[in-house]
Amino acid sequence: MQKQADQVIQALQTKGLRVTPQRFAVYANLLARADHPTAEEILSDLNQDAPTSSQATVYSSLHALQTAGLVREVFLEEGVCRYDANVAPHHHFQCKACGKIEDIAWELFQSVDLQNLRSGLKAEGYEVTVYGSCDACTRENR
Amino acid sequence: MQKQADQVIQALQTKGLRVTPQRFAVYANLLARADHPTAEEILSDLNQDAPTSSQATVYSSLHALQTAGLVREVFLEEGVCRYDANVAPHHHFQCKACGKIEDIAWELFQSVDLQNLRSGLKAEGYEVTVYGSCDACTRENR
DNA sequence: CTTTGTGCAAACGATTTGCAGGATG
DNA sequence: CATCCTGCAAATCGTTTGCACAAAG
């Protein structure tokens, strides 16, 4: 599932986008994380040791990676936009308590039948969002 | 499905919230619309003829209506928060072209089985979002 | 008369934009 | 050497907040 370095380079170049250290760093950070960080979280993570990117660059890198089809946005809460290096179709679980987001394998909810939609609507895809409580929050809060 | 005026009054009063013309107007507007407007859209709609509400009031009215359980938020795109007077569980269809959102009856996708989730995650609910193209956009853009 | 709501304007946080300098092809 | 990218700071957009006044109980 994880893309090789040269696949990443290709994906960018195919779209006429340059391969820069910043873009690589943003993508690597996104791959290394299990969660779905916000732009700010990526920024502070990258600059933790040494400053490597400015905030404007993180945003533009994320846009570049999106057009390259390497990254996508996830909107599950107000105000912030989260990013996901998993571009294959899949579902999401979000913990109502801590807000953490976890991927759910696509195969788990294949049963959705888009044929029954109101005629006139042309469905192209779907996604299930499950809300609940994660391990840690279930233990702590009950 | 549509709430009677006195049910609305009750829902607010039960939570110790006052029933004001502005809150009523916001709720009425939300009921009258088939789409899922943003706060801004509600505001400009209400003030179209005569100014009836300020922006801060629309936001606070929406919060009041939420705590009364009459309205809920929907996050399907970046930056904006949309509002929905349909608080019963249901799914959403969003047109990729124009962004319009339409409700999908809950019964249509009842087949999602939450039992297969990774153990540790305690599911409390779910929602399906279908992406595609609406009548108008299918006709125009192809 | 005490509490809660409204309206204005200022504050805020996340994202975008303009622009000068730097790196890439 | 022409193009694209970076980084800074300022601008923008949606939402929230502080405060004085008005309305409701």
Side-chain angles (χ1 to χ4, degrees):
Chain A
M1 185 114 302
Q2 196 152 324
K3 302 263 193 311
Q4 305 298 325
D6 45 328
Q7 290 183 288
V8 177
I9 293 170
Q10 272 224 346
L12 283 166
Q13 288 183 337
T14 307
K15 297 281 178 179
L17 297 164
R18 290 187 182 157
V19 183
T20 68
Q22 289 85 343
R23 291 178 180 174
F24 222 87
V26 168
Y27 186 64
N29 183 264
L30 218 36
L31 278 180
R33 286 157 151 267
D35 58 344
H36 298 61
T38 64
E40 302 258 341
E41 286 166 349
I42 297 172
L43 176 67
S44 64
D45 209 15
L46 288 178
N47 291 351
Q48 199 163 17
D49 305 318
T52 62
S53 282
S54 77
Q55 132 214 54
T57 304
V58 168
Y59 280 106
S60 99
S61 297
L62 286 166
H63 289 146
L65 292 165
Q66 271 179 81
T67 42
L70 294 167
V71 157
R72 67 156 164 160
E73 297 176 322
V74 182
F75 311 117
L76 291 180
E77 59 201 306
E78 180 181 346
V80 279
C81 174
R82 298 183 165 276
Y83 294 88
D84 191 346
N86 180 359
V87 290
H90 63 278
H91 309 295
H92 287 114
F93 177 93
Q94 181 169 39
C95 176
K96 275 181 173 170
C98 67
K100 195 185 292 177
I101 297 167
E102 186 170 317
D103 283 358
I104 298 178
W106 177 252
E107 302 75 40
L108 219 51
F109 306 132
Q110 277 182 315
S111 47
V112 173
D113 180 12
L114 298 178
Q115 299 320 116
N116 298 328
L117 279 181
R118 211 200 83 212
S119 71
L121 301 184
K122 207 170 68 183
E124 289 162 15
Y126 70 96
E127 232 170 80
V128 179
T129 307
V130 181
Y131 300 97
S133 171
C134 71
D135 317 52
C137 291
T138 304
R139 226 175 299 121
E140 285 170 28
N141 297 348
R142 105 214 46 261
Chain B
M1 186 116 302
Q2 196 152 324
K3 302 263 192 312
Q4 305 298 324
D6 43 331
Q7 290 183 288
V8 177
I9 293 171
Q10 272 224 345
L12 283 167
Q13 288 182 337
T14 306
K15 297 282 177 179
L17 297 164
R18 291 185 184 159
V19 183
T20 68
Q22 289 85 345
R23 292 178 179 174
F24 222 88
V26 168
Y27 186 63
N29 183 264
L30 217 36
L31 278 179
R33 286 156 152 269
D35 58 345
H36 298 60
T38 64
E40 303 257 341
E41 285 166 349
I42 297 172
L43 177 67
S44 65
D45 209 15
L46 289 178
N47 292 350
Q48 200 163 17
D49 304 317
T52 62
S53 281
S54 77
Q55 132 215 53
T57 303
V58 168
Y59 280 106
S60 99
S61 297
L62 286 166
H63 288 146
L65 292 165
Q66 271 179 81
T67 43
L70 294 167
V71 157
R72 67 156 165 162
E73 297 175 323
V74 182
F75 312 117
L76 290 180
E77 59 200 307
E78 181 180 344
V80 279
C81 175
R82 298 183 165 277
Y83 294 88
D84 191 347
N86 180 359
V87 289
H90 62 279
H91 309 294
H92 288 114
F93 177 93
Q94 181 168 40
C95 176
K96 276 182 174 172
C98 67
K100 195 185 292 178
I101 296 167
E102 185 170 315
D103 283 356
I104 298 178
W106 177 253
E107 302 76 39
L108 219 50
F109 306 131
Q110 277 182 316
S111 47
V112 173
D113 180 11
L114 297 178
Q115 298 320 116
N116 298 329
L117 279 181
R118 210 200 84 211
S119 71
L121 301 183
K122 208 171 68 185
E124 288 162 14
Y126 70 95
E127 231 170 80
V128 179
T129 307
V130 182
Y131 301 97
S133 171
C134 70
D135 317 53
C137 292
T138 304
R139 227 175 298 121
E140 287 171 25
N141 298 347
R142 104 210 46 260

